[in-house]
Amino acid sequence: MSNKPKESGVEYAELKYKDKVIKLPIVIGTEGEVGIDIAELRKTTGMVTVDPSFLNTAVCYSKITYVDGENGILHYRGVSVDELVKNHRFVETAYLLLRGKLPKADQSKRFSKLLNEHSLLHEDMRHFFDRFPRAAHPMQIMSTMFDALSTFYPNVDALSMREDIDICAARLISTFRTMAAFAYKRSIGEPVVYPRSDLPYCANFLHMMFSSPVNPYEINPEVVKILNTLLILHADHEQNCSTTAVRTVGSAQVNLYSTISAGISALSGPLHGGANQAVIDMLKRIVKDGDVKKYIDKAKDKNSSFRLMGFGHRVYKTFDPRAVIIKKACHDFLATMNINDPLLEVAMHLEEVALKDDYFVSRNLYPNVDFYSGIIYRAIGIPENMFTVMFALARMPGWIAHWKEMISSQTKITRPRQIYVGKTMKHEK
Ligand code: CMC
């Protein structure tokens, strides 16, 4: 069933070309966003619209997440992220994204049980981890492993998913966590640690990451709390690059696991989820150099490809609400854990200088979700090459929710047009 809102029938935008006036229907979203529906334009005029990198294109109608980039507002299914961080856990947020409503106590319990039941990876797949080079980046391992999941569960297509979406979503969310911890353990040459059914989601992840046969990890509720906060804030962000990859690949009716694998690959890029690792690399270099200004100047220099990592956003033209929450949480968490990280001081200095600099002010460049998150991950003990994996772990419910929405509301394969500007065909005389 299409998610398209009813057209008012009276509001149109008019497009004038040569001697023709074309009427284009106006669509209005529930938060008042106004769009021009151009879907029939080519059929009626032969013309297409051109918008490389989708700077101005809404690719779907969605009921999942709302972002107001001008006012710094973010909500999932009508519930603000502040409210979710204050009063809910990641697993409840995942349920909200997938089902549209926050779970009642018994529903939450059942969902957590389902996650536990599907937390084990097929044992044959565990051996795959032994064959990657030790230095392999965990994001590449994760996308490969997810694609490999489709060979174990080959029938997870749009049709079968309608029947067992809950099990499948649970398997995706839960096994990603198990695989992420396995990839880490493998990278440090330790035996993998299996999930425990008595532990809730975040605590279970910390157990798999940090327990060893000689040293069981003692679960700290403060660490569990901050992990819940970070995962909630990364759980969805409407039509970002990786979600668009998921919706696009999924529209060809590709197996869900392979579809998610495409999302993981998209997220790994430094302009997207990979930015959280790049921020820490940058902050470390600044600490070593002791010269914030040099990096600000480099970011402004049009002859340099350097960018201030963790700054700027396609949608937010003010503070990213996630960054605001994470910055405060970062301060509080480091104070609680009695950790003094010099990177936090440099990050704050960098932010202060950038926010007074006309280059950043005039372009509306503010810290984004990735600017402070890595400092928290460091404090938890998560290594830098796992930061983007943490982002992917959090984004899993969002990707699945979008896939689910896409297969139930969109019947056509995603297939943009282009304007050809290459050589014209030579005709033999
Ligand atoms: N440092 C320096 N200049 C910047 C930055 C930055 N971080 N971000 C944007 N600009 C400049 C850019 O050079 C351009 O200047 P001009 O108008 O003179 O050509 C202007 O600001 C607009 O930038 P844009 O590249 O057209 O903006 P975009 O919407 O295409 O890109 C972005 C958004 C996030 C890719 C970009 O801001 C960026 O590369 N940021 C650094 C990487 C980063 O932190 N990525 C994480 C994004 S948030 C998490 C997620 O959802 O993935």
Side-chain angles (χ1 to χ4, degrees), residues 101-378:
K101 274 188 188 158
L102 278 164
K104 298 202 170 76
D106 60 323
Q107 292 169 321
S108 181
K109 226 170 157 182
R110 248 181 287 137
F111 188 52
S112 296
K113 191 165 168 273
L114 201 61
L115 287 173
N116 268 330
E117 279 166 8
H118 294 278
S119 61
L120 274 182
L121 188 62
H122 194 294
E123 196 56 16
D124 290 350
M125 282 192 79
R126 187 172 61 78
H127 302 293
F128 291 8
F129 286 95
D130 300 336
R131 295 290 172 263
F132 288 104
R134 276 284 157 92
H137 195 285
M139 277 301 270
Q140 267 72 60
I141 296 180
M142 294 307 289
S143 60
T144 309
M145 292 298 284
F146 250 70
D147 211 7
L149 265 179
S150 60
T151 64
F152 287 78
Y153 305 100
N155 297 321
V156 189
D157 50 27
L159 273 182
S160 61
M161 279 295 286
R162 289 211 173 95
E163 279 133 44
D164 80 356
I165 176 72
D166 289 346
I167 291 178
C168 221
R171 187 184 296 122
L172 281 156
I173 294 169
S174 208
T175 49
F176 189 93
R177 174 189 57 173
T178 307
M179 283 200 246
F182 280 16
Y184 169 60
K185 284 293 188 191
R186 165 79 191 138
S187 74
I188 56 169
E190 280 189 14
V192 299
V193 175
Y194 286 91
R196 264 172 48 185
S197 64
D198 60 319
L199 290 177
Y201 190 86
C202 287
N204 214 347
F205 176 68
L206 293 166
H207 155 71
M208 285 191 274
M209 283 288 286
F210 300 123
S211 279
S212 84
V214 289
N215 201 7
Y217 176 73
E218 207 174 297
I219 287 152
N220 180 336
E222 290 297 333
V223 178
V224 171
K225 190 173 145 208
I226 195 84
L227 191 54
N228 267 293
T229 297
L230 287 172
L231 297 190
I232 289 169
L233 291 173
H234 287 82
D236 192 41
H237 210 244
E238 49 117 310
Q239 310 308 319
N240 55 82
C241 181
S242 55
T243 302
T244 302
V246 165
R247 291 186 81 121
T248 303
V249 172
S251 77
Q253 297 184 355
V254 171
N255 176 295
L256 176 59
Y257 296 105
S258 300
T259 301
I260 297 287
S261 165
I264 298 170
S265 297
L267 187 74
S268 70
L271 295 189
H272 193 6
N276 57 10
Q277 184 179 348
V279 169
I280 296 296
D281 290 344
M282 174 187 77
L283 293 176
K284 277 181 166 173
R285 272 189 281 149
I286 301 177
V287 167
K288 208 166 157 204
D289 273 11
D291 189 353
V292 165
K293 190 176 171 301
K294 177 174 143 190
Y295 287 85
I296 294 277
D297 290 344
K298 221 166 130 186
K300 289 157 50 172
D301 181 358
K302 289 289 165 204
N303 296 317
S304 160
S305 60
F306 176 79
R307 285 192 163 194
L308 216 53
M309 298 313 284
F311 255 76
H313 198 275
R314 170 65 58 82
V315 182
Y316 292 117
K317 298 304 160 205
T318 181
F319 284 96
D320 178 337
R322 304 167 298 176
V324 175
I325 299 172
I326 293 176
K327 182 180 177 183
K328 179 167 183 320
C330 182
H331 275 275
D332 295 350
F333 181 66
L334 263 60
T336 307
M337 303 296 284
N338 216 1
I339 293 171
N340 181 11
D341 188 341
L343 298 195
L344 178 57
E345 214 172 290
V346 170
M348 281 164 41
H349 187 192
L350 195 63
E351 177 185 348
E352 196 189 329
V353 176
L355 294 184
K356 282 188 193 141
D357 190 303
D358 186 55
Y359 175 93
F360 295 91
V361 175
S362 62
R363 289 169 177 77
N364 298 311
L365 302 172
Y366 293 85
N368 60 46
V369 69
D370 294 316
F371 196 63
Y372 287 102
S373 61
I375 298 176
I376 302 179
Y377 287 135
R378 260 162 73 86

